[in-house]
Amino acid sequence: MESFLLIGQSNMAGRGFINEVPPIYNERIMMLRNGRWQMMTEPIHFDRPVAGVGPAASFAEAWCGDNEGEKIGLIPCAEGGSTIDEWSIDGTLFRHAINEAKFAMKDSELAGILWHQGESDSQDGKHKGYYEKILRIFNEIRSELSIPDVPFLIGGLGDYLGKAAFGAGCVEYQRINKELQKYAQSKENCYYVTAKGLTSNPDGIHINAMSQRIFGIRYYEAYHKKEDIYEPLINEKELVDKCHNRVNTSAEKKHIALEKFTLGKISYEELMKAF
């Protein structure tokens, strides 16, 4: 099984409203939770009670389309609201991500790292030291996990920032994007993924559910083609539809029914029909 480490802040953890998009269930997509690989269910992260849709589910679904019969594992380690300083190599978030990745690598091959962070550093001139900080963090991740060639996929910040609500203060997001692009352009096995044209929740800072699905497709395009993605994909909405419209297997239907029963959404009799 190939696995992918998910790190950064809330837009990697996911804050898209779950009821706004069709769910993605795939018995070949696993997530690491409580030390066990489980079939993925959103929210993948539980960093906050408001966790929701992030980019990882559609990324994984797209991966499955190109890797028939294989399994993919997601390692959720993003933390909402975290600054780049909180990801320093001597900090708790960094150590937790390293430990989870090492645990996952006991029975999976770490194939990539998805990073999205920067909203918390998009003001007060914090971009000035940003490049040196991600350089140190990413170098240490490669060293600690002995993965010199594993791809880093770095998501850009959305152009909806700096305008409204909680995102109004993120006025330097473009400067953070420049630092992210600079890193991707100067390092091998590192690719930038644009957030251009994505839409936020009403809070003005978190990417909404449908845009997160699109973002995940862009992340996968960067991973699959090993190239930077600076513009929206021509067919990204079609690819998202493909993720949503896949016919579920018998095992997935049973999983969905059991989940609905446990949540009190269907009766026991309805559950038994799925079995």
Side-chain angles (χ1 to χ4, degrees), residues 18-23 25 41-43 255-272:
I18 289 178
N19 64 333
E20 289 188 347
V21 291
Y25 288 98
T41 302
E42 292 178 289
H255 178 91
I256 294 168
L258 184 58
E259 184 177 279
K260 287 182 177 179
F261 172 71
T262 305
L263 292 171
K265 294 182 178 180
I266 61 173
S267 67
Y268 180 75
E269 290 72 23
E270 291 172 310
L271 170 66
M272 288 298 98

Side-chain angles (χ1 to χ4, degrees), residues 142 146-152 188-189:
R142 289 197 184 281
S146 300
I147 50 166
D149 301 319
V150 165
F152 264 88
E188 294 185 356
N189 303 310

Side-chain angles (χ1 to χ4, degrees), residues 84-127:
I84 194 64
D85 288 335
E86 290 177 291
W87 280 96
S88 64
I89 61 176
D90 58 350
T92 302
L93 297 181
F94 181 89
R95 297 311 321 167
H96 173 253
I98 293 297
N99 290 339
E100 289 291 285
K102 286 182 176 179
F103 184 86
M105 291 168 73
K106 291 181 179 181
D107 55 6
S108 71
E109 176 187 356
L110 190 64
I113 298 172
L114 279 63
W115 168 269
H116 191 278
Q117 191 280 334
E119 289 90 349
S120 293
D121 296 275
S122 296
Q123 54 189 317
D124 301 327
K126 295 175 183 177
H127 66 278

Side-chain angles (χ1 to χ4, degrees), residues 51-237:
V53 175
S58 54
F59 172 90
E61 184 66 36
W63 183 96
C64 286
D66 285 334
N67 295 273
E68 188 172 353
E70 300 294 324
K71 286 187 175 182
I72 179 175
L74 303 174
I75 310 166
C77 292
E79 172 69 16
S82 55
T83 66
I84 194 64
D85 288 335
E86 290 177 291
W87 280 96
S88 64
I89 61 176
D90 58 350
T92 302
L93 297 181
F94 181 89
R95 297 311 321 167
H96 173 253
I98 293 297
N99 290 339
E100 289 291 285
K102 286 182 176 179
F103 184 86
M105 291 168 73
K106 291 181 179 181
D107 55 6
S108 71
E109 176 187 356
L110 190 64
I113 298 172
L114 279 63
W115 168 269
H116 191 278
Q117 191 280 334
E119 289 90 349
S120 293
D121 296 275
S122 296
Q123 54 189 317
D124 301 327
K126 295 175 183 177
H127 66 278
K128 295 176 182 177
Y130 195 83
Y131 178 88
E132 289 73 18
K133 290 174 182 178
I134 60 172
L135 175 66
R136 188 158 49 250
I137 293 166
F138 294 171
N139 282 348
E140 190 66 15
I141 289 174
R142 289 197 184 281
S143 176
E144 287 261 8
L145 300 178
S146 300
I147 50 166
D149 301 319
V150 165
F152 264 88
L153 311 172
I154 301 176
L157 305 185
D159 48 21
Y160 55 80
L161 291 170
K163 297 178 175 66
F166 297 131
C170 302
V171 293
E172 297 174 356
Y173 74 91
Q174 291 175 318
R175 294 187 176 185
I176 293 292
N177 282 344
K178 287 182 179 179
E179 299 305 308
L180 294 170
Q181 291 167 16
K182 176 183 174 183
Y183 183 89
Q185 291 165 0
S186 63
K187 302 298 177 183
E188 294 185 356
N189 303 310
C190 185
Y191 308 103
Y192 178 79
V193 183
T194 185
K196 186 181 294 184
L198 300 185
T199 305
S200 73
N201 287 334
D203 62 16
I205 196 167
H206 293 124
I207 301 169
N208 72 19
M210 183 56 72
S211 285
Q212 283 283 25
R213 291 283 195 250
I214 293 171
F215 210 17
I217 294 295
R218 294 180 188 177
Y219 266 95
Y220 180 71
E221 186 81 355
Y223 173 77
H224 180 63
K225 292 188 174 180
K226 293 181 170 53
E227 64 182 26
D228 298 316
I229 304 297
Y230 287 113
E231 296 294 333
L233 308 178
I234 295 174
N235 62 335
E236 58 192 13
K237 292 185 178 180

